[in-house]
Amino acid sequence: MTADRAWWRRAVVYQIYPRSFCDRSGDGVGDLDGIRSRLDHLATLGVDALWLSPVFPSPMADFGYDVADYCGIDPLFGDLAGFDALVQAAHQRGLRIILDWVPNHTSDRHPWFAESRSSRDSPRRDWYIWRDDRPDAAGGSGPPGSPGRRPNNWRSAFPGVGLSGFPPAWTYDQDSGQWYLHLFLVEQPDLNWSNPEVRAVMAATLEFWLDRGVDGFRMDVIHDIGKDAALADLPTDVAGIPMCSLIDYPVTHELVAGIRSVVKAAPPPERVVIGEIVLPTVAQVASYYGTPERPELDLAFNFHPLHAQWTASAWRRQIDDAHGIIEAAGGWPTWVLSNHDNRRHRTRYGTEARARAAAVLLLGLRGTPFLYAGEELGLADAEIPPDRRLDPGGRDGCRAPIPWDPSDGHGWAGDPWLPWPPEADRGRTVAEQASDGASTFNLYRRLLELRRASPALQIGTFEWLGSSAGVLAFRRAAGGGPEGGGGDERVVAVNFDGGSGWAELPTGAWTVQVSSVADRGGPDGCGAGTVRGRLEVAPDEAAVLAPGSRSH
Ligand code: GLC
């Protein structure tokens, strides 16, 4: 398979947060049957693959990212038969299924941890990362297990209620008299990947799902799994930062390459290996694609653009980095505007007009775009009253349930676990948006249709075009060898500003195929006329143009 044939390079992936997608059982939590019942919607939208956040048995301390059994389905979501039915129904519609695999830590209720914790002599003691008191730490003369005697100064991920700063990454187990490491919650002990039994048992969990026909994995904080045996203190200037977003030991690359080979050993079609990398530089993200001799991830999440301001200069830099750092290192970029861990981009950018322009940008860039369920409706984060806050990481707002229709229950069988997003009672539902040609849903649908039909947008080259200060414009091109003919080209222009601007167009006639501004020249958002030389871009507008005069 040549690199460009790798399906994930042409795909658009749609992230489902199962708890919040669609509830059929009536308990107010989304489930697998709910997802299955909405596959036609996803096929109409036009995405290629569905990534499901974890659906495995879990005490839900981190809403599924604390796994108690890697080879099952939590009863909240359904069962294995329901999972198989979902995979089959998705495949029938040409939709691939990607599972979320959580290798860095288990739940503290996983039987492996229960056994590991039970005694220092447990055969599974070394499956997790246990350390003795450190006698010489600052103030370290206290009794065993006192704060000054933690094995090192690392911090864990989520600020606890009432705490200033991030809590320590170690918890003392009184019964066995040692500390265990958890880069996330106390309930999420880190696995010890230097232990060959851990590597083998985790490989078997991948094989379990590969055998059930999944198309690949999104691997949770995969850069966290390698731990240097010394577990040295962080320098004091960065010691307040959670270690999960700094840790980057060379040994991890070897581990990721090994995990990849387990996935790639599955029979065709080739399965994808996507990794979540949350590290300070784009170069660190790029390093997890590996090398030709030792490949690692097929796709590595790069969240730097997600954290960038919505300005032309910030985004120009992000795009240049994706090409100049990730592609230069042999990787294929990923693009993410929203997910279950961050405020939605509609909320971050402040207006729907900007969120729509961002959708055009996202689906015009070179790399694999990831959509987060609900962004196609232009959803903003829900307001969560203090008495309904559930997530230890404060991420409830972006996890609000998807409103499917205008009825009181918005298509949910039970009262949802979190409040509805804004405007659910004022037209911002799937059913209402689907029947409104100018809706954000139909903008996404058109963009996805366009991308699917355009090799230039999917895998074509990228070249900047001239533009006014607040605008970014670029040309994508594919095919069309030296003899010419058969080539495919598009121009994408994005105005990040509230003022009007312009973009220079390559020679010849160009036609606006899709604009984020619904009334540009026609009810379907398409420009009526032919443009030459320069495109005037309205405030907050983004558009995709094709060569030639308008033909329909
Ligand atoms: C990842 C997940 C996040 C989770 C964390 C710990 O960052 O996206 O939701 O809390 O890992 O598993």
Side-chain angles (χ1 to χ4, degrees):
M1 183 180 269
T2 66
D4 276 345
R5 287 223 191 100
W7 58 264
W8 50 89
R9 291 187 170 218
R10 291 174 182 263
V12 176
V13 184
Y14 183 92
Q15 180 193 357
I16 291 180
Y17 194 68
R19 296 182 67 90
S20 303
F21 196 66
C22 179
D23 166 33
R24 285 277 166 239
S25 71
D27 61 1
V29 174
D31 44 49
L32 296 178
D33 282 352
I35 297 172
R36 187 155 56 94
S37 72
R38 301 296 182 178
L39 290 177
D40 287 334
H41 160 73
L42 298 170
T44 306
L45 178 61
V47 294
D48 303 289
L50 311 178
W51 145 34
L52 311 186
S53 280
V55 288
F56 317 112
S58 165
M60 302 285 166
D62 190 12
F63 296 108
Y65 286 92
D66 47 326
V67 178
D69 173 5
Y70 287 88
C71 299
I73 298 290
D74 195 286
L76 262 181
F77 299 123
D79 55 22
L80 279 171
F83 179 80
D84 293 342
L86 172 62
V87 172
Q88 200 191 10
H91 285 172
Q92 273 163 5
R93 290 164 177 82
L95 293 164
R96 293 184 153 96
I97 296 282
I98 296 168
L99 282 189
D100 207 319
W101 186 63
V102 187
N104 180 64
H105 43 265
T106 69
S107 161
D108 63 343
R109 312 264 190 90
H110 196 296
W112 300 339
F113 187 69
E115 208 180 319
S116 178
R117 180 177 219 165
S118 65
S119 112
R120 288 191 188 206
D121 305 324
S122 154
R124 294 208 167 125
R125 185 67 167 181
D126 186 51
W127 282 31
Y128 293 82
I129 301 174
W130 293 96
R131 287 292 183 277
D132 289 332
D133 272 308
R134 179 164 69 166
D136 61 341
S141 56
S146 55
R149 304 188 66 175
R150 284 186 196 108
N152 67 24
N153 66 356
W154 296 1
R155 301 263 143 192
S156 64
F158 305 120
V161 180
L163 285 175
S164 63
F166 295 94
W170 295 94
T171 289
Y172 191 69
D173 180 58
Q174 286 293 347
D175 293 342
S176 63
Q178 279 189 313
W179 302 83
Y180 68 88
L181 178 67
H182 52 89
L183 295 184
F184 292 87
L185 296 173
V186 175
E187 295 91 342
Q188 292 168 299
D190 281 39
L191 282 165
N192 177 14
W193 275 82
S194 70
N195 182 315
E197 289 172 5
V198 168
R199 296 200 291 274
V201 78
M202 289 301 282
T205 67
L206 291 170
E207 283 158 355
F208 177 87
W209 295 107
L210 290 167
D211 288 348
R212 297 193 102 86
V214 305
D215 299 286
F217 300 92
R218 174 268 188 193
M219 302 187 172
D220 192 60
V221 287
I222 188 78
H223 65 100
D224 284 350
I225 64 175
K227 310 284 181 331
D228 183 87
L231 298 179
D233 269 338
L234 277 173
T236 40
D237 57 328
V238 289
I241 301 174
M243 188 58 176
C244 63
S245 50
L246 295 174
I247 190 168
D248 188 18
Y249 290 125
V251 65
T252 312
H253 294 281
E254 213 172 290
L255 294 170
V256 176
I259 290 166
R260 175 196 177 88
S261 56
V262 173
V263 177
K264 297 295 174 177
E270 191 174 347
R271 326 294 173 98
V272 68
V273 181
I274 306 169
E276 186 195 27
I277 306 290
V278 190
L279 285 170
T281 70
V282 178
Q284 285 172 294
V285 174
S287 72
Y288 281 91
Y289 286 87
T291 60
E293 300 73 45
R294 194 183 66 183
E296 298 176 36
L297 303 176
D298 294 316
L299 299 173
F301 281 140
N302 173 23
F303 294 135
H304 292 270
L306 185 153
H307 297 299
Q309 297 288 315
W310 182 246
T311 65
S313 57
W315 270 86
R316 186 169 179 124
R317 186 174 158 215
Q318 295 299 334
I319 294 166
D320 282 340
D321 281 357
H323 301 149
I325 301 176
I326 293 176
E327 290 207 52
W332 179 251
T334 58
W335 297 101
V336 182
L337 292 175
S338 291
N339 64 23
H340 66 296
D341 290 330
N342 293 282
R343 289 184 307 143
R344 287 179 176 276
H345 69 274
R346 161 79 175 77
T347 300
R348 296 199 315 275
Y349 299 162
T351 65
E352 187 168 19
R354 282 190 210 142
R356 289 171 63 104
V360 176
L361 174 64
L362 176 72
L363 293 165
L365 286 168
R366 180 175 154 87
T368 300
F370 286 75
L371 310 183
Y372 176 49
E375 76 173 72
E376 77 276 20
L377 306 178
L379 289 190
D381 283 8
E383 289 286 339
I384 312 288
D387 63 336
R388 295 204 56 188
R389 290 184 192 154
L390 297 172
D391 176 49
R395 299 162 294 184
D396 296 315
C398 64
R399 299 174 176 180
I402 303 294
W404 289 96
D405 63 43
S407 69
D408 284 351
H410 294 306
W412 279 58
D415 267 352
W417 68 296
L418 283 173
W420 296 110
E423 302 175 343
D425 294 327
R426 279 176 287 132
R428 203 168 289 282
T429 67
V430 174
E432 287 158 288
Q433 289 221 4
S435 59
D436 169 5
S439 69
T440 295
F441 173 80
N442 276 308
L443 172 65
Y444 271 83
R445 201 182 46 70
R446 276 199 302 277
L447 287 166
L448 286 159
E449 194 177 29
L450 204 65
R451 189 172 170 108
R452 182 172 283 210
S454 166
L457 288 175
Q458 287 187 317
I459 51 162
T461 54
F462 179 101
E463 178 200 336
W464 288 115
L465 299 171
S467 59
S468 58
V471 171
L472 291 183
F474 50 87
R475 173 175 173 267
R476 306 284 316 276
E483 288 84 41
D488 181 42
E489 269 184 283
R490 294 290 184 280
V491 164
V492 179
V494 183
N495 189 348
F496 292 74
D497 252 16
S500 49
W502 51 265
E504 266 172 26
L505 297 174
T507 319
W510 290 84
T511 301
V512 174
Q513 285 195 299
V514 173
S515 163
S516 65
V517 174
D519 57 4
R520 172 184 269 269
D524 61 354
C526 294
T530 303
V531 199
R532 286 175 193 275
R534 193 180 253 212
L535 174 77
E536 300 299 324
V537 199
D540 296 324
E541 180 184 19
V544 182
L545 294 89
S549 306
R550 187 164 164 72
S551 57
H552 63 277

